[in-house]
Structures are given as C-alpha cells and as structure tokens.
Amino acid sequence: MPAEQINWDNLRLFLSVARAQSAQEAARRLGLDHSTVTRRLHRLEKELGAQLFERTPAGHVLTTAGHRLLEHVERMESSMVLVGEDIGGDSHTLTGHVRLGATEGFGSFFLAPHLSHFCERHPAIQVELLIVPRFINLSQREADLAVNVERPQGNGQVCSRLTDYRLRLYASRRYLDSHPPILQTRDLGAHRFFGYVEELVFSPALRYLAAIAPDAPTPLRSTSVVAQYHAVREGRGLAVLPCFMAAQSEELMPVLAHEIDLLRTFWIAAPGDRRELARVRALWDYLREVVACNRPLLLGEPGAWRSVQ
C-alpha cells in the first residue's frame, strides 16, 4: 500500500497495543473505547494485507508481520521526537516523560531520593521509575533507559559502566548481642540467614550466599532484597546487603567485613535511538553525576549521603 494511504493515527494505536500487549489496556491509555481500538486495528490489518496480532487469552501477541511493522513505527516515532526537539531547540526547557528501569534495592534506596532532585531541576520532565526484581527489556521498550547488574547484550543499545558497588554481610545490633559471637567464617554455620529464592534469582551476580555459608539455615527466602533488608533489621538473622542500603539503618552492623567483601557493577543502558533524546540524555548524565558524588557510600567507605541539586 502507498505510504500516503496509511492512516498514521492507526499506526500510533498499533504501537500502543504492541507495548501494552492488550487492546483493552491500550484503549485505557489512549482514552478510547475498546471497540474503537479493535475496529481500527482490523482496519489497519486490512489496509496492510497482513495479520499483526494473534489474539490470545493472555492478550495481543505480535505476529512476524507485526514485529516487522513495530520496528518501522518505532523508528518513525523516534524520528518525530527528534524533529520536535530540533525544531524546538531554541527553548532550554526539557519536556516529556522518561521511564527508568532499575533493580529493586538500587531503585528504592538510591535512585528514588535522587530523582526527586532531578525532577526539581527539570520540572517539565515526568520520570517513571520502574522497579522490578529482574532485567528490564529495553528491546521491548519497557523503559527508555535502565540500570542493571549485568552488562546488557542486546543489539542497538548504548551501554556504559555506571558504578561499582560493594555488598557485605549484615546483622542487627540486637542479633549480635543475643547470639554466639561470629569471629570467623566457620562460625556462620550456627546462624540463620535470609536470602534469595534460589531458582528465581535473575542473575548469577546475586548468587553469593551459597559461597559464604552453604550449610547455614535459611528460614526466609525472598525475591526481594528490600524484604531481606527489613527481615535483618528485625534482629532474627543475617543477610548479604548492598552497603548503600545497610548504611541507611543505624541498627545494622557489618559482620566479618574483611573476609566477606563482594564487589559488583551497575550498568546503564538505553536503546540507541532513545539515548539521543535530550530528556533521556539529561537523566543519563544526572545519574552519572550522582553516583560519582556518592562513590564512598556505594563502596561501603566512610562518607555521607550527597544529593545533587
């Protein structure tokens, strides 16, 4: 079909359904009736002469033709956004929304407080912080940029080392005062631990408990490091935690800090076309700025929390 005969509004609707994986959810986001969305999807498929979605009980799944169209439409979307930023280049006010994906502990304990300052610096930018205990799928446009514990391998992404961070073994003061002393690693077998649900750990970088205390009882396991943090604060066991999390509780104390010292890396990544958007670049640069200012905190060294206005 000639390009001039394609209804561009229907392509925008197609993009929304592809990202939501649901016509009903796309209709809600667009402020349209569900019947209107499905009718216009059928019209687009008829115009293109191809089925774009498989309608399943779980939602709308892209067909091979749908995936090909999605690539074209996303490039069109990015080009139009860049055109808008270029034409409006005389204005120094950055606008729009940016979705940032992050791991749970880093997103909740480090990024969220700093992002409040970023929003004050750029009041016309709306930030959406997506915190999940898994990898963010940038190829499926789950976010505009993401911070992960492994270097992303996807094609078409801009990736950089954001910062190293340290983890140590922690217990509460109450726990240490009421249980046998821990003087060396072999003493750990007599203590209880909180850790991850082993089969649901999303990265080998998080499988450290088995190497530290393989035979120690683990009465509570969770997919959430924040849940482990709160469990340790209750004084019922030990857990390996990022130093930047543990530092926010005066109750938590490092255990065998010289023997148990784990270093990991956070990576920042964005799809190549999204990385060029001014608002995404602004957030990318801000994150690099705040981790540089808080390097001692992230590495478990003496140093106070520093905000960046």
Side-chain angles (χ1 to χ4, degrees):
M1 162 174 283
E4 61 270 16
Q5 297 183 26
I6 298 177
N7 186 315
W8 300 107
D9 286 338
N10 287 345
L11 290 177
R12 184 171 67 92
L13 182 146
F14 159 79
L15 187 59
S16 182
V17 174
R19 289 174 175 170
Q21 299 181 352
S22 164
Q24 186 169 358
E25 175 60 19
R28 186 190 66 79
R29 295 179 183 180
L30 296 172
L32 299 173
D33 292 333
H34 178 257
S35 59
T36 299
V37 172
T38 55
R39 183 175 66 253
R40 287 171 58 181
L41 274 182
H42 284 301
R43 185 183 304 162
L44 179 62
E45 289 179 324
K46 185 175 181 180
E47 290 173 348
L48 296 175
Q51 182 179 350
L52 302 175
F53 294 98
E54 294 284 352
R55 280 74 172 176
T56 71
H60 282 57
V61 180
L62 286 168
T63 63
T64 302
H67 279 290
R68 292 204 304 271
L69 179 62
L70 180 63
E71 293 178 5
H72 292 297
V73 177
E74 286 186 329
R75 283 198 296 268
M76 292 162 51
E77 179 194 41
S78 297
S79 296
M80 291 304 296
V81 172
L82 288 172
V83 166
E85 291 187 345
D86 184 43
I87 298 302
D90 292 335
S91 171
H92 295 290
T93 301
L94 299 181
T95 62
H97 76 274
V98 182
R99 176 172 290 180
L100 168 63
T103 53
E104 189 190 26
F106 193 59
S108 298
F109 280 73
F110 187 86
L111 291 181
H114 285 294
L115 289 176
S116 65
H117 296 290
F118 175 83
C119 292
E120 288 187 359
R121 180 186 289 190
H122 300 286
I125 295 180
Q126 179 186 14
V127 178
E128 297 177 351
L129 180 58
L130 180 63
I131 297 176
V132 290
R134 60 175 176 81
F135 291 120
I136 303 297
N137 193 331
L138 292 176
S139 63
Q140 292 297 319
R141 302 291 177 164
E142 285 189 334
D144 297 302
L145 66 164
V147 177
N148 285 316
V149 295
E150 290 184 10
R151 184 185 181 99
Q153 302 298 320
N155 295 326
Q157 295 183 19
V158 179
C159 175
S160 175
R161 180 192 294 267
L162 181 61
T163 181
D164 291 335
Y165 69 102
R166 179 165 276 112
L167 305 97
R168 290 195 173 109
L169 182 63
Y170 288 92
S172 72
R173 296 177 188 271
R174 285 178 294 160
Y175 182 89
L176 294 175
D177 290 342
S178 59
H179 289 79
I182 304 173
L183 303 178
Q184 48 193 337
T185 54
R186 68 182 181 184
D187 295 333
L188 295 175
H191 294 265
R192 294 182 299 178
F193 283 76
F194 306 126
Y196 284 103
V197 180
E198 191 65 24
E199 61 269 27
L200 297 179
V201 174
F202 64 92
S203 169
L206 304 178
R207 286 194 169 95
Y208 31 67
L209 194 54
I212 293 173
D215 300 321
T218 312
L220 175 64
R221 293 180 179 267
S222 172
T223 57
S224 166
V225 68
V226 176
Q228 298 169 38
Y229 166 84
H230 287 298
V232 172
R233 290 186 63 192
E234 286 299 306
R236 297 291 186 269
L238 301 91
V240 175
L241 298 172
C243 294
F244 64 83
M245 288 181 63
Q248 298 188 40
S249 171
E250 295 182 356
E251 175 68 16
L252 296 183
M253 301 291 295
V255 177
L256 300 178
H258 295 294
E259 290 85 353
I260 301 174
D261 187 353
L262 307 173
L263 195 65
R264 297 291 187 268
T265 301
F266 284 125
W267 298 85
I268 186 170
D273 54 350
R274 307 300 291 179
R275 173 66 176 81
E276 297 307 310
L277 301 178
R279 59 184 182 272
V280 175
R281 290 200 309 270
L283 182 53
W284 179 292
D285 293 341
Y286 183 82
L287 295 181
R288 299 197 67 85
E289 184 179 358
V290 296
V291 299
C293 289
N294 287 277
R295 181 174 175 82
L297 175 71
L298 292 163
L299 292 178
E301 300 170 355
W305 175 282
R306 295 184 60 188
S307 60
V308 178
Q309 305 297 328

